[in-house]
Amino acid sequence: MLSTIKKFAVCAIFAAALFSAGSLSAAQENDSEAKQADAEYYNRAADESCWKKFSNGVIWYLPNRLSDLLDIFTVELKAGEVALDLKLTRYATFGGAVGRQYSFGWSIYDQRGVYWQRGWSVDFLNYRAEDIYRKTVFGYYKPLFKNTSGEVDIAGMCKEKSADPWAIGINASLLLGANIEIHPVELADFIAGILCVDFKDDDRREIHWFSDDL
């Protein structure tokens, strides 16, 4: 009887070992299949992402180059202001302006449309005294309210994104006039963009076919 029990126990242990080995092998096989499926999924996702980036780049190439081209120039037509301000970058600006005026045109940082402004400003080299209030009438222009005097903070000016410290141009008006500027950094960005180099990181890259609210 005892011998039979021992034989039965040995058989049970052997069967359990075979079952465990089979289960382990199946688990390893399932794990291997899962890893392979994950790898295939991520490879496919990477391929789709690369294709999406490429297709978006092709579609946006001409619009981005046009946007970069417009960024090279500021062209604003003015009415109501008396001004004569020569700009040879922010470090060499001479002149001033005074009055209430409407301006229509476009400027750096995708500012476009119509704005109303009142106040005055005086420039000498990199020193500026000003009391200016600006609000948008149509389109997009960055609203301004400044009452300052002293050396211009170039870093703060770049961060504010309302004007270009490296601009070269002239603001001339006798009730009617214009503000014309060339932006050398944007010119370099336009030339680099032709070669698909966006060092200013301002190109549009995504296409949103539907509203985010849907």
Side-chain angles (χ1 to χ4, degrees), residues 66-133:
L66 177 59
S67 178
D68 287 345
L69 179 63
L70 290 176
D71 282 343
I72 297 172
F73 306 98
T74 287
V75 179
E76 296 172 340
L77 305 180
K78 299 171 173 286
E81 185 180 56
V82 176
L84 181 59
D85 216 12
L86 179 63
K87 307 166 189 175
L88 303 173
T89 78
R90 185 57 256 178
Y91 291 100
T93 299
F94 308 90
V98 63
R100 297 171 179 263
Q101 49 107 352
Y102 283 90
S103 287
F104 164 75
W106 73 86
S107 185
I108 194 172
Y109 302 124
D110 286 328
Q111 297 181 104
R112 289 157 175 65
V114 179
Y115 68 85
W116 175 84
Q117 181 173 298
R118 60 120 178 105
W120 59 269
S121 63
V122 177
D123 291 297
F124 180 72
L125 297 177
N126 192 34
Y127 292 87
R128 181 176 177 88
E130 62 186 341
D131 183 2
I132 291 176
Y133 171 72

Side-chain angles (χ1 to χ4, degrees), residues 6-17:
K6 288 181 179 180
K7 289 180 180 179
F8 179 78
V10 170
C11 290
I13 293 173
F14 182 71

Side-chain angles (χ1 to χ4, degrees), residues 3-209:
S3 176
T4 302
I5 294 174
K6 288 181 179 180
K7 289 180 180 179
F8 179 78
V10 170
C11 290
I13 293 173
F14 182 71
L18 288 177
F19 178 78
S20 299
S23 298
L24 180 60
S25 176
Q28 290 176 341
E29 184 177 350
N30 291 337
D31 184 58
S32 176
E33 290 177 354
K35 289 181 178 179
Q36 183 177 357
D38 288 343
E40 290 176 355
Y41 172 80
Y42 287 117
N43 288 336
R44 185 168 62 252
D47 291 341
E48 291 176 354
S49 178
C50 289
W51 168 249
K52 183 179 179 181
K53 289 179 180 179
F54 174 76
S55 59
N56 282 344
V58 170
I59 292 171
W60 277 111
Y61 182 81
L62 289 179
N64 280 329
R65 300 297 69 76
L66 177 59
S67 178
D68 287 345
L69 179 63
L70 290 176
D71 282 343
I72 297 172
F73 306 98
T74 287
V75 179
E76 296 172 340
L77 305 180
K78 299 171 173 286
E81 185 180 56
V82 176
L84 181 59
D85 216 12
L86 179 63
K87 307 166 189 175
L88 303 173
T89 78
R90 185 57 256 178
Y91 291 100
T93 299
F94 308 90
V98 63
R100 297 171 179 263
Q101 49 107 352
Y102 283 90
S103 287
F104 164 75
W106 73 86
S107 185
I108 194 172
Y109 302 124
D110 286 328
Q111 297 181 104
R112 289 157 175 65
V114 179
Y115 68 85
W116 175 84
Q117 181 173 298
R118 60 120 178 105
W120 59 269
S121 63
V122 177
D123 291 297
F124 180 72
L125 297 177
N126 192 34
Y127 292 87
R128 181 176 177 88
E130 62 186 341
D131 183 2
I132 291 176
Y133 171 72
R134 176 201 291 178
K135 66 177 182 179
T136 303
V137 176
F138 173 77
Y140 171 74
Y141 264 92
K142 189 174 180 67
L144 291 178
F145 178 70
K146 289 187 173 184
N147 188 344
T148 60
S149 178
E151 187 173 359
V152 176
D153 177 9
I154 300 296
M157 190 176 180
C158 293
K159 186 177 180 180
E160 185 183 69
K161 291 188 175 181
S162 62
D164 178 17
W166 315 114
I168 299 171
I170 185 170
N171 178 26
S173 178
L174 185 59
L175 299 182
L176 293 175
N179 177 38
I180 308 295
E181 296 178 358
I182 296 176
H183 306 287
V185 175
E186 299 297 335
L187 174 59
D189 184 51
F190 171 71
I191 295 172
I194 294 174
L195 303 176
C196 299
V197 177
D198 180 27
F199 72 84
K200 287 204 67 183
D201 195 27
D202 59 355
D203 280 2
R204 295 173 178 84
R205 297 181 174 86
E206 296 293 332
I207 299 175
H208 300 287
W209 298 104

